[in-house]
Amino acid sequence: MIVVVQYGETEAASEKVLIGQAHSPLTLAGEELAHQYAEALSGMVFDYGFAPPSLVAEHTAEIILRGRELLSLTTVRELAEPSAGDYEGRSYAELKRALPPRQYRLWDRDFFVAPPSGESLRDVTDRVQRWFKAANLIEAQNHLFVVGPQVMKILLGLFQKLDEADICALEPLRLPYTFDL
């Protein structure tokens, strides 16, 4: 079984700043969400955990897994959020003012459009799919994935066999999702 959770609110997200793959700590609300995940998943045994190279994802996983035995928590580069390229560190309000309206809407909502020097959801989907094919996860084991919001949408889309438009439109709830392998 696979359990996928999205890490909680980060300081950058609360300030509406685009961070892409940069690090930003959890807010108190983000930490509380991790504790809620831990409680909701308290009866589950996880064999393996996977998180992107992100302090916030690792912190969320640590909270969820506290006091549990786990074979390993593996950092997986392919599960990283899309690179925001030239937009990294800029506020959404600043980008909305700086970009023509059509370009802002495309970048923010189109599966195939990437920020300059950054990655599109298509790019990230490709790297996530390649990793899953190579990972050979074992059906008889339980796997925890702690990921960011864009990778969460991608994983839900892949497991539910959604098309690109539906993946872009997803607004995942902040709760654990489970899928059979």
Side-chain angles (χ1 to χ4, degrees), residues 58-74:
E58 291 171 14
H59 186 192
T60 300
E62 288 169 5
I63 292 170
I64 293 170
L65 297 169
R66 194 169 288 147
R68 301 177 194 226
E69 288 187 34
L70 180 73
L71 296 177
S72 71
L73 176 63
T74 303

Side-chain angles (χ1 to χ4, degrees), residues 5-97:
V5 298
Q6 176 183 321
Y7 55 71
E9 179 185 60
T10 64
E11 288 180 10
S14 73
E15 296 166 3
K16 308 235 183 295
V17 172
L18 182 61
I19 60 167
Q21 296 176 358
H23 297 290
S24 178
L26 288 171
T27 61
L28 290 177
E31 285 197 25
E32 177 57 33
L33 180 63
H35 287 287
Q36 290 172 11
Y37 288 151
E39 187 176 321
L41 299 170
S42 64
M44 289 197 78
V45 175
F46 293 104
D47 300 296
Y48 295 96
F50 301 96
S54 155
L55 297 177
V56 68
E58 291 171 14
H59 186 192
T60 300
E62 288 169 5
I63 292 170
I64 293 170
L65 297 169
R66 194 169 288 147
R68 301 177 194 226
E69 288 187 34
L70 180 73
L71 296 177
S72 71
L73 176 63
T74 303
T75 301
V76 179
R77 165 75 185 92
E78 290 82 358
L79 296 176
E81 284 291 278
S83 167
D86 295 348
Y87 296 168
E88 194 157 300
R90 297 175 70 183
S91 73
Y92 285 96
E94 176 188 353
L95 289 170
K96 196 167 191 172
R97 284 191 306 273

Side-chain angles (χ1 to χ4, degrees), residues 141-159:
Q141 295 176 327
N142 291 330
H143 308 278
L144 174 67
F145 286 79
V146 179
V147 296
Q150 299 305 316
V151 173
M152 179 72 153
K153 288 167 58 166
I154 290 166
L155 290 176
L156 293 178
L158 293 174
F159 293 135

Side-chain angles (χ1 to χ4, degrees), residues 135-177:
N136 291 322
L137 301 178
I138 299 170
E139 288 182 37
Q141 295 176 327
N142 291 330
H143 308 278
L144 174 67
F145 286 79
V146 179
V147 296
Q150 299 305 316
V151 173
M152 179 72 153
K153 288 167 58 166
I154 290 166
L155 290 176
L156 293 178
L158 293 174
F159 293 135
Q160 297 174 8
K161 300 184 182 348
L162 301 178
D163 66 20
E164 291 91 352
D166 289 335
I167 290 173
C168 282
L170 278 176
E171 295 290 337
L173 300 172
R174 297 278 176 107
L175 52 83
Y177 289 85

